[in-house]
Amino acid sequence: MFRDDTGGGRRRPSRNVLGQALQPCSLEPVTGFYRNGCCDTSAEDTGSHTVCIVVSEDFLAFSKARGNDLSTPMPEYGFAGLEPGDRWCLCAARWQEAFEAGKMPRVMLQATHEGALDHCNLADLKRYAMDLS
């Protein structure tokens, strides 16, 4: 996964919050701003869909209450709806909002884009990581 480097049109590999190559988040369901399975981002992604989450029932209810229903299928958009256990590229600001409300889902740091750090604290993400050894 690559993103444009606006300093001359070069492309460089996307990095995760640990400073390593960004890993895929999910292909089933397919996720990401670019629907490429990765939480890759660019200036076009104004929502910063950069946090790879593992969906929980609590988070789905929280998100729906905040006006973003992620569980209801929307076939007209090719969206089957999320279920607990699915992985999804979530907007970093939404993860932070859920964190502050105590409803944050677990995260996969290796698949969370470094751009998430513009909205979220790495220490907080690490506390809820499922992929730290």
Side-chain angles (χ1 to χ4, degrees):
M1 306 316 119
F2 295 89
R3 73 172 191 205
D4 288 326
D5 178 346
T6 57
R10 297 170 306 174
R11 294 169 60 85
R12 64 182 178 120
S14 294
R15 301 184 69 74
N16 63 31
V17 293
L18 302 173
Q20 304 162 339
L22 184 66
Q23 299 300 306
C25 181
S26 176
L27 292 173
E28 184 84 21
V30 68
T31 190
F33 179 75
Y34 295 105
R35 292 299 188 259
N36 63 0
C38 288
C39 299
D40 212 2
T41 191
S42 72
E44 295 172 296
D45 179 15
T46 56
S48 186
H49 296 78
T50 52
V51 180
C52 180
I53 66 165
V54 179
V55 176
S56 67
E57 192 67 47
D58 261 3
F59 174 73
L60 287 173
F62 171 81
S63 190
K64 187 173 185 176
R66 293 289 201 262
N68 187 19
D69 182 0
L70 296 172
S71 57
T72 301
M74 297 177 68
E76 65 272 24
Y77 296 108
F79 181 67
L82 298 177
E83 297 179 6
D86 286 344
R87 292 185 185 183
W88 191 252
C89 292
L90 183 67
C91 294
R94 175 70 68 184
W95 189 89
Q96 184 62 34
E97 179 185 15
F99 170 75
E100 291 170 6
K103 301 293 184 183
M104 64 279 148
R106 303 292 302 266
V107 300
M108 302 300 294
L109 293 177
Q110 293 180 28
T112 296
H113 192 279
E114 66 186 349
L117 299 176
D118 291 342
H119 304 273
C120 307
N121 183 292
L122 181 57
D124 295 335
L125 291 169
K126 282 183 172 182
R127 275 195 303 201
Y128 297 96
M130 294 189 73
D131 58 348
L132 278 182
S133 48

mmCIF file of all heavy atoms in Angstrom, residues 17 92 95-96 99 109 116-128:
data_model
loop_
_atom_site.group_PDB
_atom_site.id
_atom_site.type_symbol
_atom_site.label_atom_id
_atom_site.label_comp_id
_atom_site.label_asym_id
_atom_site.label_seq_id
_atom_site.Cartn_x
_atom_site.Cartn_y
_atom_site.Cartn_z
ATOM 1 N N VAL A 17 1.402 2.756 12.941
ATOM 2 C CA VAL A 17 1.723 3.563 14.119
ATOM 3 C C VAL A 17 2.993 3.100 14.829
ATOM 4 O O VAL A 17 3.525 3.819 15.670
ATOM 5 C CB VAL A 17 0.547 3.603 15.127
ATOM 6 C CG1 VAL A 17 -0.643 4.361 14.533
ATOM 7 C CG2 VAL A 17 0.144 2.209 15.577
ATOM 8 N N ALA A 92 -10.240 7.960 12.700
ATOM 9 C CA ALA A 92 -9.457 8.124 13.928
ATOM 10 C C ALA A 92 -10.188 8.993 14.951
ATOM 11 O O ALA A 92 -10.156 8.701 16.148
ATOM 12 C CB ALA A 92 -8.084 8.701 13.602
ATOM 13 N N TRP A 95 -12.689 6.863 16.748
ATOM 14 C CA TRP A 95 -12.083 5.995 17.761
ATOM 15 C C TRP A 95 -11.786 6.817 19.017
ATOM 16 O O TRP A 95 -12.068 6.395 20.133
ATOM 17 C CB TRP A 95 -10.798 5.320 17.264
ATOM 18 C CG TRP A 95 -10.333 4.288 18.245
ATOM 19 C CD1 TRP A 95 -10.690 2.971 18.270
ATOM 20 C CD2 TRP A 95 -9.479 4.488 19.382
ATOM 21 N NE1 TRP A 95 -10.112 2.337 19.349
ATOM 22 C CE2 TRP A 95 -9.360 3.246 20.055
ATOM 23 C CE3 TRP A 95 -8.802 5.584 19.904
ATOM 24 C CZ2 TRP A 95 -8.591 3.079 21.203
ATOM 25 C CZ3 TRP A 95 -8.036 5.420 21.056
ATOM 26 C CH2 TRP A 95 -7.941 4.180 21.692
ATOM 27 N N GLN A 96 -11.264 8.012 18.831
ATOM 28 C CA GLN A 96 -10.941 8.869 19.972
ATOM 29 C C GLN A 96 -12.207 9.233 20.736
ATOM 30 O O GLN A 96 -12.219 9.219 21.974
ATOM 31 C CB GLN A 96 -10.208 10.127 19.498
ATOM 32 C CG GLN A 96 -9.742 11.025 20.621
ATOM 33 C CD GLN A 96 -8.740 10.366 21.537
ATOM 34 O OE1 GLN A 96 -7.921 9.551 21.103
ATOM 35 N NE2 GLN A 96 -8.773 10.707 22.820
ATOM 36 N N PHE A 99 -13.197 6.243 22.664
ATOM 37 C CA PHE A 99 -12.258 6.081 23.775
ATOM 38 C C PHE A 99 -12.669 6.981 24.939
ATOM 39 O O PHE A 99 -12.743 6.539 26.087
ATOM 40 C CB PHE A 99 -10.837 6.408 23.307
ATOM 41 C CG PHE A 99 -9.842 6.503 24.416
ATOM 42 C CD1 PHE A 99 -9.358 5.360 25.042
ATOM 43 C CD2 PHE A 99 -9.387 7.741 24.846
ATOM 44 C CE1 PHE A 99 -8.442 5.450 26.089
ATOM 45 C CE2 PHE A 99 -8.480 7.835 25.884
ATOM 46 C CZ PHE A 99 -7.998 6.688 26.501
ATOM 47 N N LEU A 109 -2.679 -2.693 15.763
ATOM 48 C CA LEU A 109 -1.686 -1.643 15.538
ATOM 49 C C LEU A 109 -0.928 -1.808 14.223
ATOM 50 O O LEU A 109 -0.610 -0.820 13.558
ATOM 51 C CB LEU A 109 -0.683 -1.608 16.686
ATOM 52 C CG LEU A 109 -1.229 -1.171 18.039
ATOM 53 C CD1 LEU A 109 -0.131 -1.246 19.089
ATOM 54 C CD2 LEU A 109 -1.823 0.222 17.973
ATOM 55 N N ALA A 116 -3.290 8.049 12.055
ATOM 56 C CA ALA A 116 -4.194 8.020 13.209
ATOM 57 C C ALA A 116 -3.629 8.824 14.373
ATOM 58 O O ALA A 116 -4.379 9.325 15.213
ATOM 59 C CB ALA A 116 -4.449 6.580 13.649
ATOM 60 N N LEU A 117 -2.316 8.957 14.408
ATOM 61 C CA LEU A 117 -1.670 9.669 15.515
ATOM 62 C C LEU A 117 -1.955 11.168 15.495
ATOM 63 O O LEU A 117 -1.685 11.856 16.471
ATOM 64 C CB LEU A 117 -0.165 9.391 15.513
ATOM 65 C CG LEU A 117 0.198 7.913 15.703
ATOM 66 C CD1 LEU A 117 1.704 7.717 15.598
ATOM 67 C CD2 LEU A 117 -0.348 7.376 17.015
ATOM 68 N N ASP A 118 -2.542 11.659 14.411
ATOM 69 C CA ASP A 118 -2.980 13.061 14.379
ATOM 70 C C ASP A 118 -4.206 13.269 15.268
ATOM 71 O O ASP A 118 -4.534 14.391 15.625
ATOM 72 C CB ASP A 118 -3.327 13.488 12.950
ATOM 73 C CG ASP A 118 -2.108 13.578 12.049
ATOM 74 O OD1 ASP A 118 -0.960 13.651 12.564
ATOM 75 O OD2 ASP A 118 -2.301 13.570 10.812
ATOM 76 N N HIS A 119 -4.892 12.167 15.608
ATOM 77 C CA HIS A 119 -6.131 12.242 16.381
ATOM 78 C C HIS A 119 -6.093 11.437 17.679
ATOM 79 O O HIS A 119 -6.875 11.696 18.582
ATOM 80 C CB HIS A 119 -7.307 11.730 15.547
ATOM 81 C CG HIS A 119 -7.481 12.441 14.251
ATOM 82 N ND1 HIS A 119 -8.208 13.598 14.131
ATOM 83 C CD2 HIS A 119 -6.993 12.167 13.023
ATOM 84 C CE1 HIS A 119 -8.165 14.008 12.880
ATOM 85 N NE2 HIS A 119 -7.452 13.153 12.186
ATOM 86 N N CYS A 120 -5.223 10.432 17.732
ATOM 87 C CA CYS A 120 -5.191 9.485 18.848
ATOM 88 C C CYS A 120 -3.791 9.401 19.442
ATOM 89 O O CYS A 120 -2.803 9.542 18.720
ATOM 90 C CB CYS A 120 -5.583 8.083 18.372
ATOM 91 S SG CYS A 120 -7.144 7.988 17.481
ATOM 92 N N ASN A 121 -3.733 9.127 20.717
ATOM 93 C CA ASN A 121 -2.461 8.962 21.411
ATOM 94 C C ASN A 121 -1.994 7.514 21.256
ATOM 95 O O ASN A 121 -2.773 6.584 21.480
ATOM 96 C CB ASN A 121 -2.674 9.321 22.886
ATOM 97 C CG ASN A 121 -1.414 9.255 23.680
ATOM 98 O OD1 ASN A 121 -0.863 8.180 23.893
ATOM 99 N ND2 ASN A 121 -0.957 10.406 24.125
ATOM 100 N N LEU A 122 -0.724 7.321 20.906
ATOM 101 C CA LEU A 122 -0.196 5.970 20.710
ATOM 102 C C LEU A 122 -0.329 5.123 21.969
ATOM 103 O O LEU A 122 -0.678 3.945 21.896
ATOM 104 C CB LEU A 122 1.267 6.023 20.247
ATOM 105 C CG LEU A 122 1.925 4.668 19.987
ATOM 106 C CD1 LEU A 122 1.153 3.848 18.958
ATOM 107 C CD2 LEU A 122 3.377 4.869 19.561
ATOM 108 N N ALA A 123 -0.100 5.704 23.125
ATOM 109 C CA ALA A 123 -0.216 4.947 24.377
ATOM 110 C C ALA A 123 -1.642 4.420 24.562
ATOM 111 O O ALA A 123 -1.833 3.286 25.017
ATOM 112 C CB ALA A 123 0.199 5.801 25.567
ATOM 113 N N ASP A 124 -2.652 5.225 24.192
ATOM 114 C CA ASP A 124 -4.045 4.778 24.299
ATOM 115 C C ASP A 124 -4.310 3.645 23.316
ATOM 116 O O ASP A 124 -4.942 2.647 23.665
ATOM 117 C CB ASP A 124 -5.013 5.935 24.033
ATOM 118 C CG ASP A 124 -4.928 7.024 25.079
ATOM 119 O OD1 ASP A 124 -4.510 6.727 26.233
ATOM 120 O OD2 ASP A 124 -5.267 8.176 24.755
ATOM 121 N N LEU A 125 -3.853 3.795 22.078
ATOM 122 C CA LEU A 125 -4.034 2.737 21.084
ATOM 123 C C LEU A 125 -3.368 1.444 21.553
ATOM 124 O O LEU A 125 -3.947 0.364 21.428
ATOM 125 C CB LEU A 125 -3.456 3.166 19.734
ATOM 126 C CG LEU A 125 -4.203 4.293 19.006
ATOM 127 C CD1 LEU A 125 -3.375 4.791 17.834
ATOM 128 C CD2 LEU A 125 -5.576 3.832 18.552
ATOM 129 N N LYS A 126 -2.179 1.560 22.116
ATOM 130 C CA LYS A 126 -1.448 0.371 22.586
ATOM 131 C C LYS A 126 -2.203 -0.343 23.703
ATOM 132 O O LYS A 126 -2.195 -1.570 23.773
ATOM 133 C CB LYS A 126 -0.050 0.743 23.064
ATOM 134 C CG LYS A 126 0.935 0.963 21.943
ATOM 135 C CD LYS A 126 2.314 1.261 22.498
ATOM 136 C CE LYS A 126 3.353 1.300 21.392
ATOM 137 N NZ LYS A 126 4.705 1.556 21.947
ATOM 138 N N ARG A 127 -2.867 0.405 24.583
ATOM 139 C CA ARG A 127 -3.611 -0.217 25.684
ATOM 140 C C ARG A 127 -4.735 -1.103 25.183
ATOM 141 O O ARG A 127 -5.161 -2.034 25.859
ATOM 142 C CB ARG A 127 -4.208 0.855 26.596
ATOM 143 C CG ARG A 127 -3.229 1.319 27.645
ATOM 144 C CD ARG A 127 -3.945 2.086 28.721
ATOM 145 N NE ARG A 127 -4.672 3.207 28.118
ATOM 146 C CZ ARG A 127 -5.059 4.282 28.767
ATOM 147 N NH1 ARG A 127 -4.826 4.383 30.056
ATOM 148 N NH2 ARG A 127 -5.686 5.246 28.167
ATOM 149 N N TYR A 128 -5.253 -0.806 24.009
ATOM 150 C CA TYR A 128 -6.383 -1.552 23.454
ATOM 151 C C TYR A 128 -5.982 -2.380 22.222
ATOM 152 O O TYR A 128 -6.844 -2.842 21.481
ATOM 153 C CB TYR A 128 -7.558 -0.613 23.166
ATOM 154 C CG TYR A 128 -8.016 -0.008 24.451
ATOM 155 C CD1 TYR A 128 -7.575 1.245 24.870
ATOM 156 C CD2 TYR A 128 -8.811 -0.743 25.322
ATOM 157 C CE1 TYR A 128 -7.938 1.766 26.099
ATOM 158 C CE2 TYR A 128 -9.169 -0.234 26.568
ATOM 159 C CZ TYR A 128 -8.733 1.023 26.938
ATOM 160 O OH TYR A 128 -9.101 1.518 28.156
#
